[in-house]
Amino acid sequence: MRYNGGMSYDLIVIGGGPAGYVGAIRAAQLGKRVICVERERVGGTCLNWGCIPTKALLRNGELYHTMAKRASEFGITVEGLGVDWTQVIARSRQVSERLSNGIAFLFKKNKIESLTGEARIAAPGKVEVKAADGSVTLLEGEKILIATGARTREVPAFPFNGRTIIGSKDALVRAERPGSMIVIGSGAIGTELSYVYHCFGTKVTLVEALPRILPNEDDDVSLAIERSFKKQGITCMAGAKVEALKDNGESVTATLTDKNGRSQELTADVCLVAIGVVPVVPEATGLKLTDRGFIKVDERYETNIPGVYAAGDCIGGIMLAHTASYEAEQAVEGMFVPGHCPKKPQIVPSCTYCHPQVASAGKRERELKEQGVEYKVGKFPFQAIGKAVAAGETEGFVKLLFGKENGELLGAHIIGESATELIAAPELALSSELTDADLNAMIYAHPTLAEALHEAVLAADGRAVHA
């Protein structure tokens, strides 16, 4: 084993995903000497194996589904429509490649060094990086930021085999599209990949142990997405528990207990297990973890090891790419900006990019009920919005929750076309503690989908104009 001499930095970042590369860039902007250690490609899971390639596949699926199912509605005649699955997958990989190269460019622009290998925190201020050839490089730094993210959770009883039982990474690069698929877990990953494969003709059964599909969303939204999926032809089984998976060689059989307690078997070409993620934690003697295996941090994102900080999915909490970036930036500013008091995420948007899209921020209605908060609801359908009708995208609604006494916005829930873009305005309103009166005072451009936000504000007081 070769050992390379030490190099000194202001900040050593372990992990090059949304937390790692953003934290590295922010430190460099503050004039610090920074190095980022990544064991694979910069961009992390999000860019290489999650958010970005999934969105590329979703775009492909939406286009094909529109042409195959709705072309005549728009006066378009399509003949000989087909799918080159190899090119579908290749395009998603090209998108990830381009953006990963973009981060490498940003590193160069900001004079950030990078190193590929497996990092180990040998002591406070010291990181050993083992390369693929076995050589080890010692890095020394005033501060260390752990941003190692998370990986797909694997069920010990039915481990991935890359053929019939797969994780999300396998689903993104599968050489052949399966004729049928069972998807276990209806969080964002399971729901989005269910939609992608369904668009291209795979018979999909989406299984969720909790009582609703997309269980973390508002109840009205969860029910609406389940109705929409069923209408599209995706079988949804909420409240169903998978008892066993059997690899049949060329297929897989799932034994389920449905919501009525009845046992049944489902057989498909492939089973995608999408039941969440587990943290990735680098080797670090004495590093304290939570009961669930996440890295423990204080209010400044510092671990129990002096000078070692952590941000992103590896510390748990709201495990989203944009949250990770925010946490890393806060942690870095806390390290190097005098007097800066790092903040923890408060109002965080949640987005699911199936069709119809789903987005939310703030409280759900059931939470307000459980907490005994008095509130009022403004709900308005896209089918009454001119832009939605013109675009042929009338499915879904906007639902806003306001405090009953003062009218402060408490929660926003959107299902429909461009929901993931529209959620930014309610998120700003939530962060700024705006009221229904503030939102009503705005002028909303016409014709836009955002008009549904205005109508939902009015609907909370029974004043919707186009209802």
Side-chain angles (χ1 to χ4, degrees):
M1 180 174 71
R2 300 197 310 276
Y3 187 86
N4 299 323
M7 294 177 282
S8 183
Y9 299 87
D10 297 307
L11 177 65
I12 302 169
V13 180
I14 302 175
Y21 81 78
V22 170
I25 290 172
R26 184 65 188 119
Q29 290 172 340
L30 293 170
K32 305 303 176 181
R33 188 184 182 196
V34 183
I35 188 169
C36 182
V37 181
E38 168 58 50
R39 63 182 179 184
E40 294 182 3
R41 288 180 59 84
V42 290
T45 297
C46 174
L47 193 153
N48 293 292
W49 300 107
C51 313
I52 297 302
T54 305
K55 303 312 165 284
L57 291 174
L58 281 161
R59 177 59 174 163
N60 279 40
E62 289 169 358
L63 286 173
Y64 180 71
H65 188 265
T66 298
M67 290 296 98
K69 303 294 184 180
R70 301 183 62 194
S72 61
E73 177 185 333
F74 296 94
I76 299 172
T77 300
V78 178
E79 296 180 1
L81 184 68
V83 175
D84 182 343
W85 181 254
T86 300
Q87 180 56 28
V88 168
I89 297 297
R91 176 180 176 272
S92 73
R93 302 317 309 158
Q94 289 163 5
V95 169
S96 290
E97 177 84 12
R98 175 178 175 178
L99 292 176
S100 181
N101 289 338
I103 294 175
F105 167 77
L106 291 174
F107 276 10
K108 184 177 180 180
K109 174 185 174 182
N110 288 280
K111 298 181 174 58
I112 297 168
E113 297 180 43
S114 62
L115 187 63
T116 302
E118 192 77 26
R120 170 182 174 269
I121 299 176
K126 298 183 185 296
V127 174
E128 292 180 349
V129 181
K130 186 176 181 180
D133 64 1
S135 64
V136 176
T137 299
L138 175 65
L139 306 176
E140 297 182 353
E142 177 190 347
K143 307 288 186 184
I144 298 169
L145 175 64
I146 302 173
T148 42
R151 58 178 173 79
T152 302
R153 182 186 297 277
E154 192 168 354
V155 181
F158 27 92
F160 302 149
N161 59 27
R163 298 177 293 99
T164 58
I165 304 174
I166 64 174
S168 58
K169 186 174 181 178
D170 299 313
L172 293 173
V173 294
R174 192 169 178 83
E176 296 181 357
R177 180 189 61 80
S180 57
M181 175 182 283
I182 299 166
V183 179
I184 303 175
S186 71
I189 295 172
T191 300
E192 289 178 3
L193 289 174
S194 291
Y195 177 74
V196 166
Y197 274 88
H198 161 74
C199 282
F200 290 109
T202 298
K203 181 181 178 182
V204 176
T205 300
L206 179 57
V207 180
E208 171 58 55
L210 294 174
R212 292 173 300 276
I213 301 301
L214 281 182
N216 290 329
E217 296 295 338
D218 187 84
D219 291 359
D220 285 350
V221 171
S222 293
L223 292 172
I225 195 67
E226 183 172 351
R227 286 195 299 268
S228 179
F229 269 24
K230 287 180 177 179
K231 184 178 179 181
Q232 293 178 48
I234 299 173
T235 300
C236 296
M237 298 182 64
K241 182 180 179 182
V242 179
E243 306 291 350
L245 284 179
K246 180 184 177 183
D247 175 19
N248 304 318
E250 298 298 322
S251 66
V252 61
T253 298
T255 303
L256 310 174
T257 300
D258 67 19
K259 62 182 178 181
N260 297 313
R262 296 173 302 202
S263 179
Q264 60 177 288
E265 290 188 345
L266 298 175
T267 297
D269 295 333
V270 175
C271 179
L272 167 63
V273 180
I275 57 171
V277 297
V278 293
V280 174
V281 179
E283 183 182 345
T285 302
L287 182 66
K288 288 186 178 180
L289 307 179
T290 69
D291 292 340
R292 297 177 59 202
F294 294 97
I295 299 172
K296 278 188 174 182
V297 295
D298 63 15
E299 67 280 356
R300 299 186 67 84
Y301 297 94
E302 191 169 13
T303 71
N304 64 295
I305 301 175
V308 177
Y309 299 73
D313 287 359
C314 63
I315 68 171
I318 304 171
M319 300 171 69
L320 298 168
H322 41 282
T323 309
S325 297
Y326 176 88
E327 291 173 341
E329 187 170 351
Q330 289 295 313
V332 167
E333 291 185 354
M335 297 176 204
F336 299 118
V337 177
H340 179 77
C341 182
K343 300 179 180 66
K344 293 298 178 72
Q346 298 296 322
I347 306 299
V348 179
S350 174
C351 299
T352 305
Y353 299 80
C354 51
H355 189 85
Q357 292 184 3
V358 173
S360 62
K363 298 288 187 179
R364 296 163 291 191
E365 188 171 2
R366 64 177 176 271
E367 290 177 292
L368 297 179
K369 289 179 179 178
E370 291 168 358
Q371 295 166 7
V373 176
E374 292 190 343
Y375 64 94
K376 55 185 179 180
V377 180
K379 189 175 179 181
F380 197 83
F382 281 111
Q383 65 182 6
I385 297 297
K387 175 65 180 298
V389 175
E393 297 291 351
T394 58
E395 188 174 13
F397 54 81
V398 172
K399 178 179 178 180
L400 302 179
L401 305 171
F402 297 96
K404 191 171 185 179
E405 181 178 355
N406 299 315
E408 71 277 17
L409 183 62
L410 300 172
H413 308 276
I414 309 173
I415 177 170
E417 177 67 16
S418 299
T420 58
E421 306 292 339
L422 293 172
I423 197 62
E427 183 201 355
L428 176 60
L430 284 161
S431 299
S432 303
E433 299 182 349
L434 300 184
T435 67
D436 51 357
D438 296 321
L439 294 172
N440 188 38
M442 293 174 55
I443 296 177
Y444 298 74
H446 174 78
T448 62
L449 296 176
E451 289 178 279
L453 294 169
H454 188 204
E455 291 283 2
V457 174
L458 295 171
D461 288 320
R463 297 173 50 204
V465 173
H466 293 93

